[in-house]
Amino acid sequence: MPFPISIRGSFSIPQVDSIDDVRPHLLEQAEILLSINSDDVSADGQTVISRPGIAAWFFSYGNNWHPMVAFDDITLTVSGSASVAEVAYTLSTRRMFWIVLSIATVVAIFTGATSFSQQPLLNTVVNSAKFAALAFFWIFGTNYLLGLLRGPYWLRDQLLKRLQSL
């Protein structure tokens, strides 16, 4: 079962002129694309699953933050017809959620410990919890939004480029 706040959706890939049925080639290219930055890629029927390591996308080519760095589990399922393939994706944010939650917890503990002697205990707990919640939603929310906006488009563009180069 996917993580509740995973990014799910689908996109279509039209038929490429030189290929009769795009689906098998699409599965093959998806597996190759995801295996560039992941040691754990498996293909099962119409589905490709990739579980990249924590630093896999950080060391990718390019000077900008990679669109897939926020995702720890990428699942692509190819369906559709010979002329138009439909790619359904699930991009899991589980690892990012737990890392950011850990950071927010450390922030709450640190702010609570540093302001403990200056105000009553209840105020300290409430203020540090507010600050930690703000930090969590800022860090996780912006990374989630960036992943939502960039991840699926990057996947579609890369797969389309790979198919057109066949």
Side-chain angles (χ1 to χ4, degrees):
M1 181 176 154
F3 191 63
I5 52 177
S6 295
I7 297 170
R8 295 179 191 92
S10 64
F11 54 84
S12 55
I13 301 280
Q15 182 178 359
V16 178
D17 293 333
S18 60
I19 302 172
D20 291 334
D21 188 358
V22 74
R23 292 173 298 177
H25 298 286
L26 188 58
L27 279 167
E28 177 186 334
Q29 293 304 316
E31 189 174 357
I32 292 169
L33 175 66
L34 294 177
S35 67
I36 292 171
N37 291 80
S38 178
D39 294 333
D40 187 12
V41 176
S42 62
D44 182 27
Q46 302 298 326
T47 303
V48 177
I49 299 172
S50 172
R51 292 178 179 89
I54 194 162
W57 297 104
F58 282 111
F59 302 110
S60 297
Y61 174 74
N63 59 359
N64 199 355
W65 188 58
H66 200 282
M68 303 304 284
V69 77
F71 308 117
D72 61 292
D73 192 15
I74 302 163
T75 304
L76 303 176
T77 304
V78 178
S79 61
S81 64
S83 60
V84 177
E86 192 72 24
V87 180
Y89 58 85
T90 302
L91 308 173
S92 174
T93 59
R94 185 182 318 111
R95 181 178 52 214
M96 180 178 61
F97 175 83
W98 290 113
I99 289 172
V100 174
L101 185 63
S102 300
I103 291 169
T105 302
V106 169
V107 166
I109 292 169
F110 179 75
T111 57
T114 56
S115 62
F116 179 68
S117 62
Q118 300 165 353
Q119 54 187 337
L121 179 61
L122 183 62
N123 288 350
T124 301
V125 171
V126 168
N127 290 338
S128 62
K130 286 179 185 177
F131 186 68
L134 177 68
F136 174 81
F137 287 114
W138 179 262
I139 297 169
F140 183 79
T142 54
N143 285 307
Y144 184 85
L145 183 63
L146 285 172
L148 177 68
L149 296 175
R150 295 177 68 197
Y153 296 108
W154 181 85
L155 276 172
R156 184 181 187 283
D157 288 345
Q158 291 298 314
L159 289 172
L160 196 55
K161 285 177 188 175
R162 289 176 166 277
L163 283 176
Q164 289 172 345
S165 68
L166 291 178

